[in-house]
Amino acid sequence: MEQLNSVHSEEYQEVPEIVYCANGRFHLIGEHCWFCKDKTLSMSVNLPVYVAVSQRSDSSLRFYFKQLDDRKRANISSLKFRKEDRWANAIKAMIYGFTSGGFAVKGMNITVYSDCLPSAGCGITTAIKIASAYAIRDLFEIPCSDAQLLQAIERGNKLFLNSENYNADNFAAIYAKEDHLILTDHAYPNYELIPFNFEDKVILLTDAKVPRVEVWNEDTVRQPENVLLLGELKERKTNVWGGWQYEDNPNEVNEVLSVVNEEMRRRLLCIMKEHSCVLEAYNSLVKGEFGGFARAVNHSHENMRDLYDLSCPEIDWILKRLQEINPNLEDSRNPTSCGRITGKGFGRLAYTILNRSDVDEFKKKLAEYERIFGFKTTCMEVKPAGGVHIVK
């Protein structure tokens, strides 16, 4: 806070009036299933983003990102999306979300402070949005409920940024709790916090540094006709979280999916399997069973690799070496570690959860990875963190 106050004061010659903090996140399972109203299991992590704001006497907007040493300008009366404004567009979208809903907002000086940059993924852009939205609401004492605030965020995403509004992203940034995971149901939408009480485990985020190349257009899966096909395979189950699951009769599944080509069939089948992995992970977490949770995570990566064509040889190599470090030879159905590809689009980020005693061995594998593939990884330990909160 001392650094942030100093940065804001040096930039604008005044201390910030309001400071909010929101954390980054990654999705463990289900991040490619939102469009068909499925479920997503996420983890907010201790990668904090601070947004400091103070009022101006005019209608101007001043933005400053300390770590990027980047400054942007705009005006309330002529608020527009500009490609060159990059990270500042996220804040402008939140301002638009309020003003388009009839709420009054005036000029501001805004400082963003984050050691983890938006280019890293990990939900940093979402954290900027959420921290900004809460700071703006408090700064101008905007009389809107939490539900109206979510609506403002959605307007900003859809109407200003012309992008999707992901409930799993928003909920992880807002409602997360320390030492918990968050399960989002996109059909309602609602969420549940699930304890993650495995003190002997370490969570590592590894950037494999492989260039992101989209090998196919994911929008082809999101076509309405595919959503309708998956809808035909949903069945209500009172004893399942969220009240439904996919049909598990292979004959019924094959019959419904027979109208699409083999490539699309595999990807739709992957989405169905992802839903099962989410439920398996949830049930195991509720029981405090790490083995069942790890099995669901590993199966999810296999689905992404084999059916969805999402992974890459480099990530697969890293996760294969992870499984070799400390295999549970007595009970292979209850692995002691797990990992999966994650990140925006066809990301090249992987998360791994393993015994603390195995961390040094895993990092040796990463050094071997660098010698083989030529990419120098970055690896950081993270912990489940809480949601957005006021700092000042």
Side-chain angles (χ1 to χ4, degrees):
M1 276 304 302
E2 289 180 1
Q3 290 177 322
L4 182 55
N5 282 335
S6 175
V7 168
H8 193 88
S9 298
E10 183 177 347
E11 184 69 17
Y12 303 114
Q13 290 73 56
E14 61 185 13
V15 296
E17 299 175 55
I18 302 285
V19 178
Y20 263 87
C21 174
N23 284 300
R25 58 94 190 101
F26 65 93
H27 300 305
L28 289 94
I29 309 174
E31 63 187 322
H32 295 270
C33 305
W34 59 266
F35 65 94
C36 52
K37 304 297 183 184
D38 277 13
K39 303 173 177 69
T40 304
L41 184 64
S42 310
M43 179 187 292
S44 176
V45 293
N46 54 327
L47 299 173
V49 175
Y50 299 90
V51 175
V53 296
S54 56
Q55 289 194 53
R56 294 177 58 90
S57 58
D58 55 21
S59 60
S60 296
L61 297 168
R62 298 290 186 270
F63 308 96
Y64 178 50
F65 199 132
K66 166 59 179 175
Q67 283 74 9
L68 291 173
D69 193 25
D70 193 19
R71 297 169 177 82
K72 304 296 181 183
R73 294 190 174 197
N75 194 287
I76 293 291
S77 61
S78 57
L79 202 61
K80 294 181 181 179
F81 176 89
R82 298 173 60 195
K83 186 176 181 180
E84 60 269 26
D85 282 351
R86 298 177 297 151
W87 57 270
N89 284 318
I91 305 174
K92 291 193 291 182
M94 298 302 98
I95 297 171
Y96 176 87
F98 285 115
T99 57
S100 61
F103 299 111
V105 174
K106 300 178 181 178
M108 283 175 282
N109 293 322
I110 304 168
T111 300
V112 178
Y113 193 99
S114 172
D115 289 328
C116 193
L117 304 181
S119 59
C122 300
I124 300 303
T125 298
T126 298
I128 293 174
K129 294 175 185 176
I130 299 303
S132 298
Y134 273 76
I136 293 167
R137 183 175 69 166
D138 280 14
L139 181 66
F140 297 108
E141 298 180 348
I142 296 175
C144 72
S145 63
D146 287 347
Q148 289 174 307
L149 182 60
L150 283 171
Q151 292 171 355
I153 294 168
E154 183 173 6
R155 286 194 298 271
N157 283 327
K158 288 187 173 182
L159 302 180
F160 188 86
L161 297 176
N162 194 29
S163 66
E164 291 295 334
N165 183 68
Y166 299 98
N167 286 320
D169 289 354
N170 296 335
F171 288 0
I174 296 172
Y175 301 119
K177 183 179 178 181
E178 188 175 344
D179 296 326
H180 285 69
L181 307 185
I182 183 167
L183 177 57
T184 301
D185 190 333
H186 300 273
Y188 293 105
N190 63 355
Y191 69 92
E192 181 177 335
L193 295 170
I194 314 159
F196 191 79
N197 298 322
F198 303 107
E199 295 181 358
D200 59 328
K201 301 296 180 181
V202 174
I203 306 162
L204 299 177
L205 281 177
T206 301
D207 187 344
K209 295 298 176 68
V210 182
R212 292 177 178 174
V213 178
E214 293 195 14
V215 295
W216 58 279
N217 186 357
E218 195 174 12
D219 287 340
T220 58
V221 180
R222 301 172 182 174
Q223 297 304 310
E225 57 268 26
N226 292 328
V227 177
L228 289 174
L229 287 177
L230 290 173
E232 288 184 38
L233 292 168
K234 292 180 178 180
E235 56 179 5
R236 293 201 171 276
K237 292 282 187 177
T238 56
N239 60 339
V240 173
W241 192 88
W244 70 275
Q245 66 180 25
Y246 281 110
E247 171 68 59
D248 58 4
N249 184 323
N251 293 330
E252 179 69 19
V253 172
N254 289 334
E255 181 178 348
V256 172
L257 299 184
S258 63
V259 298
V260 297
N261 60 42
E262 175 59 22
E263 188 176 74
M264 186 59 65
R265 189 191 73 84
R266 287 191 295 104
R267 288 166 185 165
L268 296 179
L269 188 61
C270 177
I271 290 171
M272 297 173 63
K273 289 180 176 293
E274 276 287 277
H275 186 265
S276 297
C277 288
V278 169
L279 293 178
E280 182 182 1
Y282 168 77
N283 291 331
S284 297
L285 288 167
V286 169
K287 297 174 185 176
E289 297 174 354
F290 180 81
F293 164 77
R295 185 170 63 249
V297 168
N298 291 336
H299 284 167
S300 175
H301 179 76
E302 292 167 4
N303 293 333
M304 290 289 106
R305 179 193 67 203
D306 300 338
L307 299 176
Y308 211 72
D309 299 325
L310 183 66
S311 190
C312 63
E314 294 84 356
I315 291 288
D316 295 338
W317 188 94
I318 290 173
L319 295 180
K320 180 67 173 177
R321 301 292 84 74
L322 171 69
Q323 299 305 322
E324 294 172 352
I325 292 174
N326 187 16
N328 188 349
L329 299 178
E330 296 181 358
D331 185 3
S332 60
R333 284 183 52 81
N334 289 291
T336 60
S337 62
C338 60
R340 182 187 182 277
I341 191 170
T342 190
K344 182 179 180 181
F346 292 72
R348 292 298 178 255
L349 193 71
Y351 70 87
T352 51
I353 306 176
L354 65 163
N355 294 332
R356 183 167 292 280
S357 58
D358 294 330
V359 170
D360 288 343
E361 184 64 26
F362 178 70
K363 290 186 176 180
K364 290 180 182 177
K365 299 295 184 183
L366 293 182
E368 184 180 350
Y369 165 89
E370 182 181 347
R371 291 194 297 272
I372 294 173
F373 293 98
F375 299 114
K376 184 174 178 59
T377 64
T378 57
C379 183
M380 70 179 93
E381 179 179 345
V382 295
K383 296 180 179 180
V388 64
H389 58 278
I390 190 169
V391 182
K392 176 182 178 182

